[in-house]
Amino acid sequence: MSDKGPISIDAIRAARAAIDPWIVETPLWAWRSPTLEALRGTDTPVWLKLELLQRAGSFKSRGALTVMRTLDADALARGVTAISAGNHAMAVGYAARVLGTTAKVVMPNNANPGRIEGCRRFGAEVVLVADVHAGFRLVEQIAADEGRTFVHPFEGPLTALGTASVGLELIEQTRALGTELDAVIVPIGGGGLCAGVAAAVKLAAPGCAVFGVEPTGADSMHRSFAAGAPASIDAVRTIADSLGAPYALPYSFELCRANVDELVLVDDDQLREAMRLLFRDAKLAVEPAGAATTAALLGPLRDRLAGARVGAIVCGSNIDETTFFSLLADQPGR
Protein backbone atom coordinates (compact mmCIF):
# COMPACT_ATOMS: atom_id res chain seq x y z
CA MET A 1 0.00 0.00 0.00
CA SER A 2 1.33 3.43 -0.91
CA ASP A 3 1.69 6.12 1.75
CA LYS A 4 -0.42 8.24 -0.60
CA GLY A 5 -3.34 5.86 -0.29
CA PRO A 6 -4.30 2.32 -1.36
CA ILE A 7 -3.15 2.88 -4.94
CA SER A 8 0.17 1.89 -6.49
CA ILE A 9 1.75 2.38 -9.89
CA ASP A 10 1.52 -1.36 -10.51
CA ALA A 11 -2.18 -1.39 -9.60
CA ILE A 12 -2.87 1.55 -11.92
CA ARG A 13 -1.05 -0.16 -14.78
CA ALA A 14 -2.95 -3.40 -14.21
CA ALA A 15 -6.31 -1.62 -14.09
CA ARG A 16 -5.48 0.33 -17.23
CA ALA A 17 -4.47 -2.86 -19.09
CA ALA A 18 -7.71 -4.56 -18.06
CA ILE A 19 -9.88 -1.90 -19.73
CA ASP A 20 -7.62 -1.33 -22.71
CA PRO A 21 -9.96 -3.02 -25.23
CA TRP A 22 -12.66 -0.42 -24.58
CA ILE A 23 -10.88 2.90 -24.05
CA VAL A 24 -8.23 4.99 -25.80
CA GLU A 25 -5.07 6.70 -24.58
CA THR A 26 -6.22 10.25 -25.09
CA PRO A 27 -3.87 12.74 -26.73
CA LEU A 28 -1.68 15.24 -24.94
CA TRP A 29 -1.59 18.58 -26.75
CA ALA A 30 0.83 21.44 -26.18
CA TRP A 31 -1.30 24.59 -26.29
CA ARG A 32 0.80 27.45 -27.64
CA SER A 33 -0.53 30.70 -29.10
CA PRO A 34 0.01 34.46 -28.93
CA THR A 35 -3.34 34.77 -27.13
CA LEU A 36 -2.40 32.26 -24.45
CA GLU A 37 1.05 33.82 -24.11
CA ALA A 38 -0.50 37.24 -23.53
CA LEU A 39 -2.94 35.89 -20.95
CA ARG A 40 -0.29 33.95 -19.02
CA GLY A 41 2.60 36.32 -19.53
CA THR A 42 4.84 33.46 -20.68
CA ASP A 43 5.47 31.43 -23.81
CA THR A 44 5.53 28.17 -21.84
CA PRO A 45 2.86 25.88 -23.32
CA VAL A 46 -0.01 24.41 -21.35
CA TRP A 47 -0.25 20.65 -21.73
CA LEU A 48 -3.88 19.71 -22.27
CA LYS A 49 -4.88 16.12 -21.53
CA LEU A 50 -7.77 15.69 -23.96
CA GLU A 51 -10.13 13.37 -22.11
CA LEU A 52 -13.00 14.86 -24.10
CA LEU A 53 -11.81 12.46 -26.82
CA GLN A 54 -12.35 9.43 -24.57
CA ARG A 55 -15.02 6.83 -25.37
CA ALA A 56 -18.46 8.24 -24.48
CA GLY A 57 -17.00 11.75 -24.44
CA SER A 58 -15.38 11.97 -21.00
CA PHE A 59 -12.96 10.39 -18.51
CA LYS A 60 -15.90 8.63 -16.84
CA SER A 61 -15.59 5.54 -19.04
CA ARG A 62 -12.34 4.63 -17.27
CA GLY A 63 -13.96 4.38 -13.85
CA ALA A 64 -17.19 2.77 -15.03
CA LEU A 65 -15.35 0.05 -16.95
CA THR A 66 -12.90 -0.60 -14.12
CA VAL A 67 -15.86 -1.25 -11.82
CA MET A 68 -18.12 -3.11 -14.22
CA ARG A 69 -15.52 -5.49 -15.68
CA THR A 70 -15.29 -7.12 -12.22
CA LEU A 71 -18.98 -8.11 -12.21
CA ASP A 72 -19.71 -11.81 -12.45
CA ALA A 73 -22.07 -13.39 -14.96
CA ASP A 74 -25.08 -13.22 -12.63
CA ALA A 75 -24.54 -9.54 -11.90
CA LEU A 76 -24.13 -8.77 -15.59
CA ALA A 77 -27.36 -10.61 -16.32
CA ARG A 78 -29.21 -8.42 -13.79
CA GLY A 79 -27.71 -5.24 -15.19
CA VAL A 80 -26.45 -2.00 -13.66
CA THR A 81 -27.84 1.34 -12.58
CA ALA A 82 -26.32 4.79 -12.07
CA ILE A 83 -27.10 8.40 -11.16
CA SER A 84 -25.55 11.25 -13.11
CA ALA A 85 -26.10 14.62 -14.76
CA GLY A 86 -24.87 12.93 -17.89
CA ASN A 87 -21.22 11.98 -18.32
CA HIS A 88 -21.24 9.09 -15.88
CA ALA A 89 -24.63 7.94 -17.17
CA MET A 90 -23.26 7.93 -20.72
CA ALA A 91 -20.14 6.08 -19.59
CA VAL A 92 -22.21 3.43 -17.81
CA GLY A 93 -24.41 3.08 -20.89
CA TYR A 94 -21.32 2.66 -23.06
CA ALA A 95 -19.73 0.18 -20.65
CA ALA A 96 -22.96 -1.83 -20.42
CA ARG A 97 -23.09 -2.04 -24.19
CA VAL A 98 -19.51 -3.29 -24.66
CA LEU A 99 -19.71 -5.68 -21.69
CA GLY A 100 -23.00 -7.21 -22.82
CA THR A 101 -25.31 -6.04 -20.04
CA THR A 102 -28.09 -3.47 -19.57
CA ALA A 103 -28.14 -0.09 -17.86
CA LYS A 104 -30.93 1.88 -16.20
CA VAL A 105 -29.68 5.39 -15.46
CA VAL A 106 -31.23 8.15 -13.37
CA MET A 107 -30.70 11.75 -14.48
CA PRO A 108 -32.03 15.13 -13.29
CA ASN A 109 -34.69 16.44 -15.64
CA ASN A 110 -32.60 19.54 -16.36
CA ALA A 111 -29.71 17.42 -17.65
CA ASN A 112 -28.28 18.47 -20.98
CA PRO A 113 -30.51 17.06 -23.76
CA GLY A 114 -27.47 15.88 -25.69
CA ARG A 115 -26.41 13.70 -22.77
CA ILE A 116 -29.87 12.22 -22.32
CA GLU A 117 -29.95 11.32 -25.99
CA GLY A 118 -26.38 10.02 -25.77
CA CYS A 119 -27.39 7.60 -23.00
CA ARG A 120 -30.27 6.33 -25.09
CA ARG A 121 -28.03 5.86 -28.13
CA PHE A 122 -25.90 3.49 -26.06
CA GLY A 123 -29.06 1.56 -25.21
CA ALA A 124 -29.52 2.75 -21.63
CA GLU A 125 -32.97 3.25 -20.14
CA VAL A 126 -33.21 6.81 -18.80
CA VAL A 127 -35.33 7.82 -15.80
CA LEU A 128 -35.63 11.57 -15.15
CA VAL A 129 -36.03 13.05 -11.65
CA ALA A 130 -36.36 16.51 -10.10
CA ASP A 131 -32.78 16.80 -8.80
CA VAL A 132 -29.68 14.80 -7.91
CA HIS A 133 -30.76 14.33 -4.28
CA ALA A 134 -33.96 12.62 -5.48
CA GLY A 135 -31.87 10.74 -8.02
CA PHE A 136 -29.61 9.17 -5.40
CA ARG A 137 -32.66 7.96 -3.47
CA LEU A 138 -34.23 6.48 -6.62
CA VAL A 139 -31.10 4.72 -7.83
CA GLU A 140 -30.80 2.93 -4.49
CA GLN A 141 -34.42 1.82 -4.85
CA ILE A 142 -33.78 0.54 -8.38
CA ALA A 143 -30.78 -1.44 -7.18
CA ALA A 144 -32.81 -2.99 -4.35
CA ASP A 145 -35.96 -3.71 -6.39
CA GLU A 146 -34.35 -4.93 -9.63
CA GLY A 147 -31.10 -6.43 -8.37
CA ARG A 148 -29.04 -4.12 -10.54
CA THR A 149 -25.53 -3.22 -9.42
CA PHE A 150 -25.20 0.45 -8.50
CA VAL A 151 -22.16 1.92 -10.25
CA HIS A 152 -21.28 4.96 -8.17
CA PRO A 153 -20.38 8.12 -10.10
CA PHE A 154 -17.26 8.98 -8.07
CA GLU A 155 -16.69 6.85 -4.97
CA GLY A 156 -14.62 3.73 -4.36
CA PRO A 157 -11.21 2.10 -4.90
CA LEU A 158 -11.98 0.74 -8.37
CA THR A 159 -13.28 4.08 -9.61
CA ALA A 160 -10.13 5.79 -8.35
CA LEU A 161 -7.93 3.16 -10.00
CA GLY A 162 -9.69 3.83 -13.28
CA THR A 163 -9.31 7.59 -13.09
CA ALA A 164 -5.71 7.27 -11.88
CA SER A 165 -4.82 6.09 -15.37
CA VAL A 166 -5.50 9.64 -16.60
CA GLY A 167 -2.85 11.02 -14.26
CA LEU A 168 -0.28 8.33 -15.03
CA GLU A 169 -0.76 8.77 -18.78
CA LEU A 170 -0.33 12.53 -18.41
CA ILE A 171 2.98 12.22 -16.56
CA GLU A 172 4.31 9.55 -18.92
CA GLN A 173 3.23 11.42 -22.06
CA THR A 174 4.89 14.66 -20.98
CA ARG A 175 8.08 12.81 -20.02
CA ALA A 176 8.16 11.13 -23.41
CA LEU A 177 8.25 14.64 -24.86
CA GLY A 178 11.08 15.69 -22.54
CA THR A 179 8.94 17.70 -20.09
CA GLU A 180 8.58 17.44 -16.32
CA LEU A 181 5.41 19.12 -15.12
CA ASP A 182 5.47 21.59 -12.25
CA ALA A 183 1.71 21.38 -11.66
CA VAL A 184 -1.42 19.50 -12.70
CA ILE A 185 -4.91 21.02 -12.50
CA VAL A 186 -7.89 18.68 -12.10
CA PRO A 187 -11.62 19.48 -12.03
CA ILE A 188 -13.62 18.24 -9.04
CA GLY A 189 -17.25 17.18 -8.94
CA GLY A 190 -17.61 14.37 -6.43
CA GLY A 191 -13.85 13.94 -6.43
CA GLY A 192 -13.45 10.62 -8.21
CA LEU A 193 -11.32 12.04 -11.02
CA CYS A 194 -9.20 14.18 -8.73
CA ALA A 195 -8.71 11.34 -6.23
CA GLY A 196 -7.26 9.04 -8.86
CA VAL A 197 -5.29 11.63 -10.82
CA ALA A 198 -3.79 13.23 -7.72
CA ALA A 199 -2.70 9.88 -6.30
CA ALA A 200 -1.12 8.85 -9.60
CA VAL A 201 0.69 12.16 -10.04
CA LYS A 202 2.13 12.07 -6.53
CA LEU A 203 3.32 8.48 -7.05
CA ALA A 204 4.86 9.11 -10.46
CA ALA A 205 6.09 12.69 -9.92
CA PRO A 206 6.17 13.53 -6.20
CA GLY A 207 7.45 17.06 -6.79
CA CYS A 208 4.54 18.01 -9.05
CA ALA A 209 1.86 20.13 -7.38
CA VAL A 210 -1.78 19.12 -7.78
CA PHE A 211 -4.54 21.73 -7.76
CA GLY A 212 -8.22 20.83 -7.65
CA VAL A 213 -10.81 23.23 -9.08
CA GLU A 214 -14.51 23.46 -8.25
CA PRO A 215 -17.31 25.79 -9.35
CA THR A 216 -18.44 28.24 -6.68
CA GLY A 217 -21.96 26.81 -6.98
CA ALA A 218 -20.87 23.22 -6.26
CA ASP A 219 -18.10 23.42 -3.67
CA SER A 220 -18.60 20.21 -1.68
CA MET A 221 -14.86 19.36 -1.63
CA HIS A 222 -13.96 22.85 -0.38
CA ARG A 223 -16.48 22.43 2.42
CA SER A 224 -15.15 18.96 3.14
CA PHE A 225 -11.53 20.17 3.37
CA ALA A 226 -12.62 22.96 5.71
CA ALA A 227 -14.61 20.55 7.90
CA GLY A 228 -11.98 17.79 7.85
CA ALA A 229 -14.66 15.30 6.78
CA PRO A 230 -16.99 14.74 3.80
CA ALA A 231 -19.56 17.53 3.54
CA SER A 232 -22.58 18.27 1.37
CA ILE A 233 -24.29 21.15 -0.44
CA ASP A 234 -28.03 21.81 -0.49
CA ALA A 235 -28.26 22.40 -4.25
CA VAL A 236 -26.14 22.66 -7.39
CA ARG A 237 -25.89 26.26 -8.63
CA THR A 238 -23.52 26.24 -11.58
CA ILE A 239 -23.55 25.83 -15.34
CA ALA A 240 -20.94 23.07 -14.84
CA ASP A 241 -23.56 20.47 -14.00
CA SER A 242 -21.03 17.66 -14.56
CA LEU A 243 -19.23 18.98 -11.46
CA GLY A 244 -22.44 19.20 -9.44
CA ALA A 245 -22.09 16.36 -6.93
CA PRO A 246 -24.34 16.92 -3.90
CA TYR A 247 -21.70 15.73 -1.43
CA ALA A 248 -18.24 14.27 -0.97
CA LEU A 249 -17.69 10.71 0.27
CA PRO A 250 -14.95 9.16 2.43
CA TYR A 251 -12.74 7.29 -0.02
CA SER A 252 -12.37 9.97 -2.67
CA PHE A 253 -12.24 12.68 0.00
CA GLU A 254 -9.35 11.01 1.81
CA LEU A 255 -7.37 10.47 -1.40
CA CYS A 256 -7.89 14.10 -2.36
CA ARG A 257 -6.92 15.31 1.09
CA ALA A 258 -3.76 13.19 1.00
CA ASN A 259 -2.62 14.25 -2.47
CA VAL A 260 -4.11 17.60 -3.48
CA ASP A 261 -1.93 20.58 -2.60
CA GLU A 262 -4.66 23.19 -2.88
CA LEU A 263 -8.25 23.75 -3.98
CA VAL A 264 -9.43 26.79 -5.94
CA LEU A 265 -12.84 28.07 -7.03
CA VAL A 266 -14.07 29.47 -10.35
CA ASP A 267 -17.42 31.10 -11.07
CA ASP A 268 -19.72 30.66 -14.04
CA ASP A 269 -18.45 33.77 -15.81
CA GLN A 270 -14.91 32.42 -15.63
CA LEU A 271 -16.12 29.08 -16.99
CA ARG A 272 -17.85 30.76 -19.93
CA GLU A 273 -14.78 32.84 -20.74
CA ALA A 274 -12.60 29.72 -20.63
CA MET A 275 -15.04 27.94 -22.95
CA ARG A 276 -14.81 30.85 -25.39
CA LEU A 277 -11.02 30.82 -25.25
CA LEU A 278 -10.75 27.08 -25.79
CA PHE A 279 -13.16 27.32 -28.71
CA ARG A 280 -11.48 30.30 -30.40
CA ASP A 281 -7.85 29.58 -29.63
CA ALA A 282 -7.50 25.84 -29.06
CA LYS A 283 -10.35 24.88 -31.41
CA LEU A 284 -11.97 22.76 -28.70
CA ALA A 285 -15.73 22.70 -28.05
CA VAL A 286 -16.01 21.74 -24.40
CA GLU A 287 -18.76 21.60 -21.81
CA PRO A 288 -18.36 23.95 -18.82
CA ALA A 289 -16.69 21.26 -16.70
CA GLY A 290 -14.14 20.72 -19.47
CA ALA A 291 -13.18 24.40 -19.23
CA ALA A 292 -12.73 24.42 -15.44
CA THR A 293 -8.97 23.79 -15.46
CA THR A 294 -8.38 26.56 -18.02
CA ALA A 295 -10.56 28.90 -15.96
CA ALA A 296 -8.47 28.11 -12.88
CA LEU A 297 -5.15 28.53 -14.69
CA LEU A 298 -6.11 31.95 -16.05
CA GLY A 299 -8.00 33.01 -12.92
CA PRO A 300 -7.10 32.11 -9.34
CA LEU A 301 -3.87 30.29 -10.30
CA ARG A 302 -2.57 32.79 -12.86
CA ASP A 303 0.06 34.44 -10.68
CA ARG A 304 0.91 31.27 -8.76
CA LEU A 305 1.67 29.30 -11.93
CA ALA A 306 3.20 32.07 -14.04
CA GLY A 307 5.87 30.43 -16.17
CA ALA A 308 5.17 26.97 -14.73
CA ARG A 309 4.92 23.84 -16.84
CA VAL A 310 1.26 22.97 -16.31
CA GLY A 311 -0.84 19.96 -17.24
CA ALA A 312 -4.60 20.56 -17.38
CA ILE A 313 -7.28 17.86 -17.63
CA VAL A 314 -9.95 18.67 -20.23
CA CYS A 315 -12.41 16.24 -18.74
CA GLY A 316 -15.29 16.11 -21.23
CA SER A 317 -17.42 17.60 -23.97
CA ASN A 318 -20.88 16.13 -23.80
CA ILE A 319 -23.02 19.12 -24.68
CA ASP A 320 -25.53 19.86 -27.42
CA GLU A 321 -24.91 22.64 -29.95
CA THR A 322 -27.74 24.89 -28.77
CA THR A 323 -26.60 24.89 -25.15
CA PHE A 324 -22.96 25.31 -26.11
CA PHE A 325 -23.51 28.40 -28.21
CA SER A 326 -26.01 29.90 -25.76
CA LEU A 327 -23.41 29.64 -22.99
CA LEU A 328 -20.78 31.27 -25.20
CA ALA A 329 -23.21 34.07 -26.04
CA ASP A 330 -23.99 34.84 -22.38
CA GLN A 331 -22.23 37.95 -21.12
CA PRO A 332 -20.55 38.21 -17.67
CA GLY A 333 -22.99 38.56 -14.83
CA ARG A 334 -26.00 37.32 -16.76
Side-chain angles (χ1 to χ4, degrees):
M1 179 178 291
S2 162
D3 61 0
K4 298 295 183 182
I7 286 181
S8 68
I9 292 289
D10 287 344
I12 298 168
R13 292 193 196 284
R16 172 64 179 82
I19 62 174
D20 186 69
W22 309 295
I23 67 165
V24 297
E25 180 176 307
T26 51
L28 183 71
W29 186 65
W31 183 10
R32 291 182 175 94
S33 76
T35 300
L36 182 65
E37 182 177 342
L39 289 168
R40 291 196 69 203
T42 176
D43 62 357
T44 305
V46 176
W47 298 94
L48 299 182
K49 179 63 169 162
L50 301 179
E51 277 295 295
L52 77 165
L53 300 179
Q54 188 52 262
R55 304 296 189 204
S58 81
F59 75 93
K60 288 286 191 178
S61 294
R62 297 179 186 252
L65 282 161
T66 302
V67 171
M68 290 169 59
R69 65 166 295 276
T70 66
L71 299 179
D72 61 25
D74 287 343
L76 288 173
R78 292 191 300 271
V80 296
T81 188
I83 166 70
S84 166
N87 286 337
H88 179 64
M90 287 182 65
V92 168
Y94 166 71
R97 183 174 185 175
V98 298
L99 294 176
T101 185
T102 62
K104 187 172 187 176
V105 300
V106 179
M107 304 175 72
N109 55 24
N110 63 349
N112 185 272
R115 295 181 196 149
I116 295 172
E117 181 56 32
C119 290
R120 289 172 173 153
R121 281 199 303 270
F122 285 125
E125 180 183 351
V126 177
V127 181
L128 299 177
V129 293
D131 56 48
V132 290
H133 290 281
F136 272 95
R137 293 191 295 270
L138 178 58
V139 81
E140 291 174 1
Q141 181 182 332
I142 290 170
D145 292 348
E146 301 182 21
R148 293 179 180 271
T149 299
F150 174 38
V151 183
H152 200 281
F154 58 83
E155 179 74 346
L158 290 176
T159 299
L161 270 179
T163 62
S165 62
V166 179
L168 187 57
E169 281 180 18
L170 172 59
I171 295 299
E172 292 181 340
Q173 286 171 318
T174 50
R175 283 179 175 162
L177 295 170
T179 296
E180 288 287 339
L181 294 176
D182 300 309
V184 172
I185 310 175
V186 193
I188 296 179
L193 175 63
C194 194
V197 169
V201 168
K202 291 300 187 181
L203 286 167
C208 181
V210 178
F211 295 90
V213 54
E214 286 185 299
T216 55
D219 61 345
S220 57
M221 194 61 72
H222 270 80
R223 298 183 188 210
S224 300
F225 272 38
S232 63
I233 56 176
D234 64 335
V236 175
R237 300 179 180 89
T238 175
I239 60 171
D241 55 347
S242 298
L243 303 182
Y247 45 69
L249 287 173
Y251 189 86
S252 49
F253 164 71
E254 291 295 347
L255 271 185
C256 286
R257 186 164 66 163
N259 297 296
V260 174
D261 293 280
E262 187 175 335
L263 300 176
V264 297
L265 291 167
V266 294
D267 62 30
D268 284 357
D269 288 339
Q270 290 171 308
L271 289 169
R272 289 187 189 93
E273 190 54 39
M275 289 175 67
R276 293 185 191 103
L277 178 65
L278 286 164
F279 184 65
R280 292 193 310 259
D281 202 57
K283 312 307 178 188
L284 295 174
V286 304
E287 61 182 278
T293 52
T294 297
L297 177 64
L298 300 178
L301 295 175
R302 183 182 184 277
D303 293 338
R304 185 92 50 87
L305 297 180
R309 296 162 296 185
V310 178
I313 310 296
V314 184
C315 60
S317 187
N318 287 318
I319 188 168
D320 68 286
E321 298 93 330
T322 300
T323 303
F324 176 76
F325 287 111
S326 70
L327 287 171
L328 264 60
D330 279 347
Q331 297 304 309
R334 284 179 59 182

